[in-house]
Every structure is written in structure tokens, then in C-alpha cells.
């Protein structure tokens, strides 16, 4: 089969080429105009005073670009001038019509309709946005809050819970909204949002900030141990700090035990009393041995002088200055108004006119409760006991080593003192 060519002649060839060129130029113009308007719209700050003029120009320059109408809607939604809210609704409706598969257009339209008092229209727009992006936390959050404002708490808080599970930034404000809606009833919050680890973590944060510590502690107890030690460990650390600042030491020690993997602190118990675990020179927790800043003495674990186990705590003195003394202390949660006995074993060859003692104070007020006899030189391990009654209005004491008898800037101390097997028992 032979191929036949049709010769159109030079006239028709020029017409076709010119027409093709015109079409290409027109397409290029529309493409450049669309993209130029799109870029400009995305860069304009809608809060600027010149934003309305630019928005008007862009919608005229590229009327088929949804981004220009989205910008215009955002601009006129902010002005609070008469008629501008209706203009904003129109611009968002136009943007949604031009880009019907973009959930963001529908979400903004829902907000504008809601501001304009069109609840039914707002819900329709929100439902369209949610259908397009069912797993997006932002639309779940916005739609959920809109439903709650209209009294639809069941569906509203279900969406709020989903948004908080997807984006932790929504967790705390979601719980705060629920507590306000249910007049502080924690049980109703759980019924509405679910008794999940995330919801209880949000309750912990909000309730503790409101100083509702008993309820915060109860909510913390609803979280699984694995989640406490992994996902919500930082929340636990923050809660321990809030509890101790408020004088809720027994609650704090329970929370600290949940997030501690080594020796767990407990009520009426000296943590690491046998010094088998390391003693941190800095950044120790409140229920651990803490060493203050200073230049002397040297403080560390010793495996040479020990009463039991592998180590004891040794303090090596070789100084003449009063200032710069390093001391050790530990806070212990206790039951209020209860009798306790503290037992400490020590050995010492320190030479000084000053004396060392163990002091027990109220952890909240620093008021002295009891003090030991001076720690005298002892070649063998010697037991020292202090019987004391914990305060009625406090649930923690602080055990600390103190020095007495220094007068003036010079206080010579030489030698070493070791401690081991420090224990506390409730009588």
C-alpha cells in the first residue's frame, strides 16, 4: 500500500504554523499567569495593610487559580469590616469549587461559614473536608471543636480524641476543653475521649497544672508501666518536680519509682543505703544521694573499706578553709506523724576541732527535726542511731551531713570518714 502525501501549499502551511504558534503563546501566557499568581499568593502576609489590594488584583489577574481566592478569603476574614466576612465566605466557596478535592479549601470554608453564623453550611464543609482527609488531625480538631460548641459533645470529643492521638500538640488543649465542658468531671472526660494512655497523660498534665494533684496521681496510675517508662517518661519527671514543689512527696516517690529502672525509691526507705550503685556527682534525683558543689572533701565509692557488699561511701578531708565544703543529702518520703529509726554505720580517723553530724529536717520547710551525736573517731564500723517523729503536716524528711564548730575562715580537717548500710525503718 503506497503512502500518499497531500500538499497543502505554502499558504496553508503558514496558516497552520502561525495558528500553532498563537496557541502555544496563549497556553504559555495562561501557564505563566497561573504560576505567577500562585507564587505571589503563597508569599503574601494576609495581615499586612496592603493585603486586600493585592488579593483583589490577584483574583482578577488569575480568577481560575484557587490559591488566589484562598488568599482573598483569608485576608477578608481578618478585616472585621462590614461586608468583608460575606466576601470571605464567597472567596472560600470559589476556592473550594475550583479545587474540590483539596480538604484545606473546605476546611477554611467551614471556618468562614461558622464565623458568619451558618452552622449547617459550616458542618457540611467540614464533613466534606473530613471525607477527603479522614486521618488528618487538623480537620479532626477543627470540626470536633465546632461540634462541641454546638452541643454535639459525643461526636465532637470523639474527633478531638482522634486528633490528639495523631498529633500530641492537640492533647493538652483537648483535655482542657473536655474538663471545661464537663465542669471538671474526670470520669466524663474519660467517657467522652476514652480511657487511653494518651488521654490519661493529658489529664495528668492539665490536672497537675491546676494543682489537682490527687486526681493527677490517679490518672498517672491509669497509664501502663511500659508507657510510663518510655512514651511518658518526661511527663513523669515533670510530675515528680511539680509534686515535690507542692510538698506531695509520697505521690512523687511513687511516680519516681514507676520511671526508675534501677533501685526504686520507696516510702520510709533510704535509696542506695549500701552504696552498691553509683553516687552521681551532679544531676541526681531528689530521692537519690546528692552531693553539693564545693572544693572539699573528695567524695566517692571505696571498695577497700566496706561493711557489707562491694562498696562504702568515703569522704577524704585535707583542707583548711571553712568555705567550699561539699556535703551529701537525701530526701526520703515518710508517713506523717510517725516514729522512725535511722541507722548509720561509719568509721572515721578525722582530726579536727570541728565535728560532723547527721541532721534530719522537714523536707518542705527545712525545720530541724533531729540531729545525731558528733561522729567521733572510730577504727571499726560503728552504729549510730537516731529516733525521730516525722512532722504531722509533711510527708518527707531530708537526711544531710553537716559540719559544726568552724569559726572564722580557717577550719582544718584531715582524715577520712566512711559510711555504709544506712537504713530507715518505721517503728
Amino acid at each position: 500500500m503506497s503512502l500518499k502525501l497531500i500538499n497543502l501549499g505554502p499558504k496553508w502551511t503558514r496558516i497552520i504554523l502561525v495558528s500553532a504558534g498563537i496557541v502555544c503563546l496563549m497556553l504559555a501566557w495562561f501557564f505563566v499567569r497561573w504560576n505567577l499568581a500562585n507564587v505571589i499568593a503563597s508569599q503574601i502576609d494576609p495581615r499586612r495593610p496592603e493585603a486586600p489590594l493585592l488579593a483583589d488584583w490577584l483574583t482578577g489577574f488569575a480568577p481560575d487559580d484557587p490559591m488566589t481566592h484562598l488568599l482573598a478569603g483569608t485576608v477578608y476574614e481578618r478585616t472585621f469590616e462590614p461586608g468583608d466576612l460575606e466576601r470571605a465566605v464567597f472567596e472560600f466557596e470559589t476556592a473550594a469549587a475550583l479545587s474540590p478535592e483539596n480538604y484545606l479549601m473546605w476546611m477554611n470554608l467551614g471556618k468562614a461559614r461558622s464565623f458568619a453564623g451558618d452552622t449547617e453550611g459550616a458542618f457540611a464543609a467540614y464533613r466534606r473536608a473530613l471525607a477527603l482527609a479522614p486521618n488528618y488531625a487538623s480537620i479532626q480538631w477543627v470540626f470536633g471543636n465546632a461540634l462541641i460548641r454546638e452541643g454535639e459533645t459525643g461526636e465532637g470529643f470523639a474527633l478531638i480524641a482522634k486528633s490528639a492521638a495523631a498529633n500530641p500538640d492537640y492533647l493538652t488543649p483537648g483535655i482542657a476543653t473536655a474538663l471545661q465542658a464537663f465542669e471538671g468531671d474526670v470520669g466524663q472526660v474519660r467517657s467522652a475521649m476514652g480511657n487511653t494512655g494518651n488521654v490519661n497523660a493529658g489529664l495528668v498534665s492539665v490536672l497537675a497544672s491546676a494543682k489537682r494533684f490527687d486526681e493527677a496521681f490517679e490518672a498517672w496510675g491509669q497509664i501502663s508501666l511500659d508507657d510510663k517508662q518510655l512514651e511518658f517518661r518526661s511527663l513523669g519527671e515533670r510530675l515528680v518536680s511539680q509534686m515535690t514543689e507542692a510538698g506531695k512527696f509520697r505521690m512523687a516517690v511513687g511516680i519516681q519509682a514507676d520511671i526508675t529502672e534501677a533501685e526504686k525509691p520507696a516510702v520510709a526507705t533510704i535509696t542506695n543505703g549500701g552504696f552498691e550503685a553509683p553516687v552521681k556527682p551532679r544531676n541526681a534525683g531528689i530521692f537519690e544521694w546528692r552531693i553539693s558543689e564545693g572544693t572539699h572533701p573528695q567524695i566517692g565509692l571505696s571498695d577497700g573499706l566496706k561493711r557489707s557488699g562491694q562498696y562504702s561511701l568515703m569522704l577524704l578531708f585535707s583542707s583548711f578553709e571553712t568555705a567550699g565544703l561539699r556535703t551529701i543529702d537525701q530526701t526520703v518520703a515518710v508517713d506523717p506523724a510517725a516514729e522512725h529509726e535511722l541507722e548509720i554505720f561509719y568509721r572515721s580517723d578525722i582530726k579536727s576541732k570541728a565535728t560532723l553530724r547527721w541532721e534530719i529536717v522537714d523536707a518542705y520547710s527545712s525545720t530541724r527535726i533531729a540531729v545525731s551525736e558528733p561522729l567521733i573517731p572510730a577504727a571499726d564500723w560503728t552504729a549510730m542511731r537516731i529516733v525521730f517523729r516525722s512532722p504531722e503536716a509533711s510527708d518527707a524528711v531530708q537526711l544531710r551531713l553537716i559540719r559544726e564548730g568552724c569559726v572564722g575562715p580557717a577550719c582544718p580537717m584531715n582524715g577520712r570518714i566512711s559510711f555504709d548500710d544506712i537504713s530507715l525503718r518505721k517503728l
Side-chain angles (χ1 to χ4, degrees):
M1 183 176 181
S2 60
L3 180 65
K4 295 182 179 180
L5 299 177
I6 299 176
N7 188 359
L8 297 177
K11 178 180 178 181
W12 286 102
T13 300
R14 286 194 299 270
I15 292 173
I16 291 172
L17 290 175
V18 170
S19 299
I22 292 172
V23 170
C24 288
L25 287 173
M26 290 176 63
L27 289 174
W29 164 244
F30 283 118
F31 179 78
V32 169
R33 186 174 66 171
W34 179 293
N35 281 275
L36 179 62
N38 198 291
V39 170
I40 294 173
S42 66
Q43 299 298 317
I44 292 175
D45 184 349
R47 296 169 296 184
R48 300 282 297 176
E50 67 274 13
L53 292 175
L54 290 170
D56 288 343
W57 178 77
L58 285 171
T59 53
F61 182 68
D64 296 329
D65 184 352
M67 291 304 297
T68 63
H69 294 283
L70 180 65
L71 170 67
T74 304
V75 168
Y76 285 104
E77 190 179 48
R78 295 170 178 267
T79 62
F80 299 106
E81 295 292 333
D84 280 359
L85 186 55
E86 289 77 6
R87 168 71 185 274
V89 172
F90 169 78
E91 295 295 349
F92 285 130
E93 287 176 340
T94 304
L98 291 170
S99 184
E101 302 303 313
N102 187 335
Y103 87 97
L104 190 62
M105 304 300 178
W106 292 99
M107 187 170 73
N108 280 282
L109 175 57
K111 291 179 182 178
R113 284 176 173 174
S114 181
F115 291 151
D118 182 7
T119 302
E120 185 177 346
F123 282 9
Y126 285 142
R127 292 193 189 282
R128 176 59 178 163
L130 190 63
L132 291 170
N135 298 318
Y136 278 32
S138 58
I139 179 57
Q140 292 167 348
W141 173 258
V142 172
F143 190 19
N145 276 281
L147 287 164
I148 293 166
R149 286 194 297 272
E150 296 302 320
E152 301 291 338
T153 56
E155 184 182 0
F157 280 115
L159 286 172
I160 292 294
K162 287 182 179 180
S163 69
N167 185 344
D169 290 342
Y170 293 127
L171 181 58
T172 298
I175 295 296
T177 299
L179 282 170
Q180 183 177 15
F182 297 116
E183 298 181 343
D185 190 320
V186 174
Q188 289 193 57
V189 173
R190 288 198 182 99
S191 295
M193 297 186 65
N195 190 13
T196 65
N198 277 344
V199 169
N200 281 296
L203 282 168
V204 167
S205 181
V206 175
L207 292 169
S209 295
K211 301 189 184 305
R212 296 168 62 177
F213 294 113
D214 290 347
E215 292 166 293
F217 184 69
E218 187 273 334
W220 174 261
Q222 297 289 321
I223 303 173
S224 71
L225 185 60
D226 286 344
D227 284 345
K228 289 175 182 176
Q229 294 181 346
L230 298 173
E231 186 174 358
F232 301 119
R233 184 182 185 87
S234 61
L235 173 63
E237 292 171 347
R238 188 166 67 251
L239 187 59
V240 168
S241 178
Q242 290 174 307
M243 291 287 192
T244 54
E245 286 178 7
K248 305 291 184 179
F249 292 95
R250 284 181 296 172
M251 292 182 187
V253 81
I255 298 164
Q256 186 65 60
D258 287 338
I259 60 177
T260 300
E261 297 177 1
E263 183 179 357
K264 299 180 180 295
V267 174
T269 303
I270 301 293
T271 304
N272 193 22
F275 301 103
E276 298 305 303
V279 176
K280 301 174 183 176
R282 57 184 61 86
N283 299 325
I286 187 170
F287 300 112
E288 299 178 291
W289 291 113
R290 295 179 297 184
I291 302 174
S292 66
E293 296 290 333
T295 57
H296 59 276
Q298 298 179 47
I299 302 177
L301 300 182
S302 170
D303 59 359
L305 296 174
K306 56 197 177 187
R307 180 176 180 270
S308 66
Q310 297 296 315
Y311 301 101
S312 65
L313 184 72
M314 178 186 292
L315 285 70
L316 179 61
F317 288 87
S318 179
S319 64
F320 293 89
E321 297 179 351
T322 300
L325 179 70
R326 303 172 73 198
T327 60
I328 60 173
D329 70 83
Q330 183 177 136
T331 298
V332 184
V334 294
D335 293 326
E339 297 289 331
H340 297 81
E341 182 183 65
L342 176 69
E343 183 177 58
I344 299 174
F345 287 88
Y346 78 97
R347 56 188 299 174
S348 172
D349 61 7
I350 291 181
K351 297 178 179 62
S352 177
K353 291 183 180 180
T355 58
L356 296 175
R357 297 174 185 260
W358 283 99
E359 181 184 41
I360 300 170
V361 300
D362 184 331
Y364 193 65
S365 67
S366 295
T367 302
R368 175 179 281 187
I369 300 170
V371 66
S372 74
E373 295 295 325
L375 302 176
I376 61 176
D380 296 321
W381 286 103
T382 301
M384 183 209 70
R385 296 178 179 87
I386 308 174
V387 176
F388 67 94
R389 182 178 178 82
S390 55
E392 293 186 6
S394 179
D395 62 355
V397 297
Q398 186 183 45
L399 169 66
R400 60 193 186 190
L401 186 67
I402 62 172
R403 182 178 63 180
E404 295 181 337
C406 291
V407 179
C411 187
M413 292 190 75
N414 289 280
R416 57 188 176 181
I417 185 169
S418 299
F419 298 102
D420 205 357
D421 296 332
I422 301 178
S423 62
L424 181 69
R425 69 185 182 95
K426 185 177 177 182
L427 299 177

